[in-house]
Amino acid sequence: MRSSQGLKAITEQLFAAYDGHDVDGMLALCADGAQGRYLPYGKKSDMPIRGGLEQIWRGLLGAVPDFGVEVVEMIQGEGNIVVVQALLGGAMPADVPGLVTKGKSDRIAHAYIIRYSAEGKIIRLDCYWDNTAINAIKASVL
């Protein structure tokens, strides 16, 4: 088992790579066969990180060129678990009254539960966010 400082350092590397649009760097921190889930996509959104979440990350970074990540808080959980609160986003494609302004860079709160192997590789990454805000943005574009 890695120390909490070691796991936090790896977690910081993950979000720094995300902020730097380095999906390959993110994948390098994941174990072979690592799984993930983005809960707002539904209860059955379990998928492999490679080829699954990876495609979501690449698509998002392609769609939002100024995408950025700000880690707000990182908490060492029980065992090899790190919980992260982060703000993610970039320039929004449309106005959503009360939420975002078209063209203005804005970020949406996300919560991550990241589980690590004893070797310090990510074996599971679960993410939650305010899907109401995302759906409002998508609906406003239509």
Side-chain angles (χ1 to χ4, degrees), residues 69-86:
V69 177
E70 175 189 345
V71 173
V72 175
E73 183 175 26
M74 195 178 303
I75 302 167
Q76 174 70 43
E78 187 175 309
N80 284 355
I81 298 172
V82 176
V83 178
V84 176
Q85 179 185 179

Side-chain angles (χ1 to χ4, degrees), residues 22-135:
D22 180 9
V23 175
D24 292 331
M26 295 169 72
L27 294 172
L29 300 171
C30 298
D32 290 338
Q35 294 287 306
R37 179 170 54 176
Y38 277 11
L39 260 294
Y41 287 169
K43 291 188 289 185
K44 298 183 181 193
S45 63
D46 279 331
M47 63 186 80
I49 289 179
R50 286 180 180 80
L53 291 184
E54 169 190 1
Q55 296 308 314
I56 294 170
W57 296 336
R58 291 186 192 282
L60 178 61
L61 294 172
V64 183
D66 71 335
F67 178 85
V69 177
E70 175 189 345
V71 173
V72 175
E73 183 175 26
M74 195 178 303
I75 302 167
Q76 174 70 43
E78 187 175 309
N80 284 355
I81 298 172
V82 176
V83 178
V84 176
Q85 179 185 179
L87 299 173
L88 284 74
M92 298 299 156
D95 281 328
V96 181
L99 290 174
V100 296
T101 302
K102 180 179 180 176
K104 180 181 178 213
S105 190
D106 205 351
R107 297 186 178 182
I108 295 170
H110 288 62
Y112 290 85
I113 301 169
I114 305 170
R115 293 167 180 84
Y116 289 90
S117 69
E119 297 76 32
K121 291 286 191 173
I122 295 167
I123 56 173
R124 178 140 190 113
L125 185 150
D126 293 308
C127 181
Y128 303 77
W129 64 82
D130 179 0
N131 210 39
T132 304
I134 302 292
N135 287 337

Side-chain angles (χ1 to χ4, degrees), residues 4-16:
S4 67
Q5 289 301 339
L7 293 180
K8 285 183 175 182
I10 297 166
T11 306
E12 288 170 358
Q13 290 175 23
L14 174 74
F15 286 98

